Amino acid sequence: PGRSYSCRSACDHNCQWFFEVVSRTAKRLTIRQIDHTETKVVGISHYDGREVCYPLGKFSMAPSLRA
């Protein structure tokens, strides 16, 4: 909690999102997009030995946060 992460659009490298981790459990993250007030709960996946979440939903070309 308290750490910030960013991700870029796969289609437009100039488009970037910033998120802050509000809280976490072993399987879920509560995140808040920087400069927004609402929070969102997302699941944590594992890919290539790292934790991954999809803050905007899981779809083709979806941005991901990796820790």
Side-chain angles (χ1 to χ4, degrees):
R3 294 196 60 179
S4 297
Y5 295 91
S6 65
C7 52
R8 292 188 183 269
S9 169
C11 300
D12 180 3
H13 194 70
N14 294 319
C15 182
Q16 191 170 9
W17 297 277
F18 297 91
F19 296 91
E20 177 185 14
V21 176
V22 176
S23 65
R24 70 165 289 157
T25 65
K27 296 184 179 187
R28 303 245 181 247
L29 286 175
T30 302
I31 59 174
R32 180 181 63 84
Q33 190 170 349
I34 303 294
D35 297 331
H36 288 77
T37 56
E38 47 295 324
T39 60
K40 184 176 186 177
V41 177
V42 295
I44 299 173
S45 306
H46 290 85
Y47 179 76
D48 201 22
R50 300 190 325 181
E51 291 184 332
V52 179
C53 77
Y54 299 91
L56 302 179
K58 193 169 183 179
F59 54 91
S60 112
M61 309 285 274
S64 63
L65 299 176
R66 299 172 190 210

